[in-house]
Amino acid sequence: MARVASGFVASGLGVAVFSSAVFGLSGSFAKALLETGWTPGAAVTARLTGAALILAVPAVVALRGRWHQLRDNWITVLLFGLIGVAACQLFYFNAVERLSVGVALLLEYLAPVMIVLWLWAAGRKRPGPLTIAGAVLSLGGLVLVLDLTGAVRIDPVGVLWGIAAAVCLVIYFFITAKENDTLPPIVLASGGLMVGALVMWLAAATGLLPMAFSTADTHLGPWTTPWWVALGGLVVLATVLAYVSGIVAARSLGSKVASFVSLTEVLFAVLWAWLLLGELPGPVQLLGGVLIVGGVVLVRLDELRGAAAGTFLPPATPSEAVATLDPERSGA
C-alpha cells in the first residue's frame, strides 16, 4: 500500500488532487471571514497581499537578475493581475457572500461554455457535437443549480456576481492562451498577485471599494478559531500552496490530464463547505452541479480532439488558471 501511495504521488496525480483540494478551501475560509464582518474586498486584498509577499522571494530567485523579462511582459502581468486575479476573486467572493460556496463555484464553472458560445458567435470556431452537447448539459445544470421553481431561495445579485466571475475567467483564459516562453511561471504568478493586491489597495484608498476587517473569532466546523486562522488558511493553503502545487502537477502530468483532475475542485469545494460551514446544496442543485461538470468534461473532450487535429480552445476549467502557467501549454 505504501508503494502504491508513493507511486500515486510520484506520478503527479497526488499533487494534482492536493492542488484541487486546497483550491477548494478558498470559498469556505473566505465565507468564515465574511460572516464576522469582513467585506469581500478586504478578504481578497488580504489574500493577495499575503500570497504576493510569500511568493516574492522564490520569484526573485527564479528571475536570477533577468529583470528585463518583467519589462518585456508587463502587459501580460498587468492583465493577469487585474482580471485573472483581482477582479475574478473579488467577484467570486461577492458571490460567496450571498450564495453557498458550491453554487457560487458552479456558476464560475460556466466559463468554458461561455468560451464556446463566444467563439461560435465570433465565427472563429464552429463547435463540434460533443461541445454542443456539453454546452446544453451545462446550461441545463445551471437551471437546476438556480432551482428557480424550488424551495431554495437564490439571491439574484449573488448569481450576477458568480456570472461576472465566470466572465473574468473567460477573459483570463484568452489572455493566458497567448504563447510566451520568456517569463518563468512562478514570476507570472507572483507578479499577478502583486498587481492584484496593488489594485485592491488603490481601490480602497480612493473609496471605490468598501474595506472592513474584523478580529472577531471565526467558526470552522465544530471549532471556534481566531480570525487569523481562517486568513492564514486562505493565504497559505488556498493561495500559495494551491498555486505552487498546481504548477508542479501541470508540469508532471501535462496540461490535458491536469485539467481533468482539476475538475475535482468543485467537489472538494462542496465537501469543505459542508464540513466547515455546514452548507450543502439541495438534491436538485447537486444534480445540476453534476450536469455542469459533465458538460465541462464533454467540452474538454472535444477540445482535446480538436487539439489533436491542430485546432485550439482556451483552458477548460477555473483551476487550470494555475495549469496555464505551465510552459508546455502557455509557454509562460
Side-chain angles (χ1 to χ4, degrees), residues 73 76 173-183 312 324 326-332:
N73 296 278
T76 298
F173 290 154
F174 280 113
I175 293 171
T176 55
K178 183 179 180 181
E179 291 196 4
N180 180 352
D181 59 359
T182 63
L183 193 64
F312 175 79
T324 52
D326 178 9
E328 175 185 331
R329 176 170 61 258
S330 67

Side-chain angles (χ1 to χ4, degrees), residues 34 37-49 86 89-94 97 196-197 199-201 203-204 208-213 234:
L34 297 178
W38 286 60
T39 59
V44 172
T45 303
R47 179 188 190 185
L48 300 186
T49 303
Q89 292 189 24
L90 179 61
F91 294 166
Y92 172 61
F93 281 7
N94 272 315
E97 187 179 32
V199 169
M200 299 299 291
W201 282 115
L208 295 176
L209 185 68
M211 280 279 196
F213 301 86
L234 183 63

Side-chain angles (χ1 to χ4, degrees), residues 261-277:
V261 179
S262 70
L263 288 171
T264 58
E265 180 189 346
V266 67
L267 304 179
F268 279 115
V270 172
L271 176 62
W272 289 126
W274 177 42
L275 294 176
L276 298 178
L277 302 175

Side-chain angles (χ1 to χ4, degrees), residues 57-199:
V57 173
V60 171
V61 173
L63 276 174
R64 287 180 272 185
R66 295 170 297 186
W67 297 101
H68 66 88
Q69 292 180 332
L70 277 177
R71 292 194 301 269
D72 295 342
N73 296 278
W74 70 271
I75 294 179
T76 298
V77 174
L78 178 64
L79 292 177
F80 176 83
L82 181 62
I83 299 176
V85 175
C88 189
Q89 292 189 24
L90 179 61
F91 294 166
Y92 172 61
F93 281 7
N94 272 315
V96 166
E97 187 179 32
R98 296 171 175 270
L99 304 171
S100 70
V101 172
V103 171
L105 190 60
L106 287 170
L107 290 172
E108 196 176 22
Y109 261 74
L110 289 173
V113 177
M114 292 180 178
I115 290 174
V116 170
L117 295 176
W118 168 254
L119 291 177
W120 193 2
R124 295 172 54 192
K125 182 177 178 63
R126 181 178 180 180
L130 285 180
T131 295
I132 295 175
V136 172
L137 201 63
S138 291
L139 292 175
L142 174 62
V143 173
L144 295 181
V145 165
L146 298 181
D147 197 15
L148 300 177
T149 60
V152 178
R153 184 175 178 82
I154 296 293
D155 188 319
V157 176
V159 171
L160 292 177
W161 281 122
I163 293 175
V167 171
C168 285
L169 280 176
V170 171
I171 298 172
Y172 168 81
F173 290 154
F174 280 113
I175 293 171
T176 55
K178 183 179 180 181
E179 291 196 4
N180 180 352
D181 59 359
T182 63
L183 193 64
I186 194 69
V187 177
L188 177 60
S190 178
L193 288 167
M194 288 182 181
V195 169
L198 180 60
V199 169

Side-chain angles (χ1 to χ4, degrees), residues 214-248:
S214 172
T215 57
D217 290 343
T218 56
H219 299 282
L220 296 169
W223 305 284
T224 298
T225 63
W227 62 272
W228 50 263
V229 172
L231 180 60
L234 183 63
V235 171
V236 177
L237 294 177
T239 308
V240 174
L241 285 183
Y243 270 70
V244 174
S245 60
I247 294 171
V248 172

Side-chain angles (χ1 to χ4, degrees), residues 19-61:
S19 179
S20 291
V22 288
F23 259 118
L25 278 166
S26 64
S28 295
F29 283 136
K31 189 150 192 175
L33 293 171
L34 297 178
E35 289 178 342
T36 66
W38 286 60
T39 59
V44 172
T45 303
R47 179 188 190 185
L48 300 186
T49 303
L53 292 175
I54 293 174
L55 287 178
V57 173
V60 171
V61 173

